[in-house]
Amino acid sequence: NFMLTQPHSVSESPGKTVTLSCTRSSGSIASSYVQWYQQRPGCAPTTVIYEDSQRPSGVPDRFSGSIDSSSNSAFLTISGLKTEDEADYYCQSYDSSNPVVFGGGTKLTVL
Amino acid sequence: QLQLQESGPGLVKPSETLSLTCTVSGGSITSSTYFWGWVRQPPGKGLDWLATIYYSGDTYYSPSLRSRVTMSVDTSKSQFSLRLSSVTAADTAVYYCARLDGSDHMFDYWGQGTLVTVSS
């Protein structure tokens, strides 16, 4: 089994750019797609990035995803931060033994 | 538009079995592309995948819960279900049902979630 490690919390100011990380403990980050979900309080998660870097329709292009094999990590970058981006963000991936693995989540504060 | 709706008791006693059902509407539960799953979230904590099922009945369980969890599917009712045995207070959580795209393992549709409290 592998784990996905995310920082517990990140803070940034409106208008700035923030990058959230998700580090895979074993196996290559590039071997399986990574998804990113946004979850606001009291709501179900919604997808903001799928297949490492794809945006679902309706998600602003301020959201972008990438992976880096050297750090074995995936990244979610949000530019032009808005107060409405304040939420919890979860990365998720899988392998042949585990159909779903979630990261622990990052609480993004925009202040 | 696909919709998923969880149903089941909101209160379960310790050591008993938690049972939840998810009803799928606006789409086919027998689509070959998709799986169906359960994810839970304890209060103030992160997302925890429990189990996934294909419409044929093939199941995949979280290693940490494999001994206590069972999923089933009833295609005639467009429903799938979760049973979690020997519950404790640690199983108190919001339980979500969701659709998993088999091509990229993305959860693309979620139910609204239902809070299940384990307490005597």
Side-chain angles (χ1 to χ4, degrees), chain A residues 1 33 35 37 39 43-47 50-51 90 92 94 98-100 102-104, chain B residues 39 41 45-49 52 60 63 96 100 103-108 110-112:
Chain A
N1 294 355
Y33 289 127
Q35 275 67 244
Y37 302 95
Q39 186 182 33
C43 297
T46 60
T47 308
Y50 67 101
E51 293 183 3
Y90 295 90
Q92 176 253 315
Y94 57 96
N98 304 282
V100 179
F102 284 108
Chain B
V39 176
Q41 185 170 37
K45 295 189 177 181
L47 302 174
D48 182 25
W49 170 68
T52 297
Y60 307 84
Y96 294 100
L100 183 73
S103 62
D104 56 19
H105 292 240
M106 174 186 76
F107 285 110
D108 57 358
W110 298 70
Q112 64 185 23

Side-chain angles (χ1 to χ4, degrees), chain B residues 43-111:
Chain B
K45 295 189 177 181
L47 302 174
D48 182 25
W49 170 68
L50 303 178
T52 297
I53 194 166
Y54 195 55
Y55 75 91
S56 62
D58 291 342
T59 51
Y60 307 84
Y61 298 131
S62 167
S64 62
L65 291 169
R66 183 167 287 128
S67 63
R68 296 199 292 132
V69 68
T70 304
M71 268 193 81
S72 60
V73 62
D74 186 337
T75 56
S76 67
K77 296 182 179 178
S78 285
Q79 293 178 334
F80 58 98
S81 300
L82 174 78
R83 288 172 57 85
L84 183 65
S85 63
S86 305
V87 297
T88 69
D91 296 308
T92 293
V94 174
Y95 285 75
Y96 294 100
C97 62
R99 189 178 80 168
L100 183 73
D101 187 321
S103 62
D104 56 19
H105 292 240
M106 174 186 76
F107 285 110
D108 57 358
Y109 285 92
W110 298 70

Side-chain angles (χ1 to χ4, degrees), chain A residues 29-43:
Chain A
I29 193 71
S31 63
S32 312
Y33 289 127
V34 175
Q35 275 67 244
W36 289 89
Y37 302 95
Q38 177 191 69
Q39 186 182 33
R40 295 193 174 101
C43 297

Side-chain angles (χ1 to χ4, degrees), chain B residues 30-46:
Chain B
T30 59
S31 172
S32 60
T33 310
Y34 301 105
F35 295 73
W36 307 91
W38 291 95
V39 176
R40 70 179 179 180
Q41 185 170 37
K45 295 189 177 181

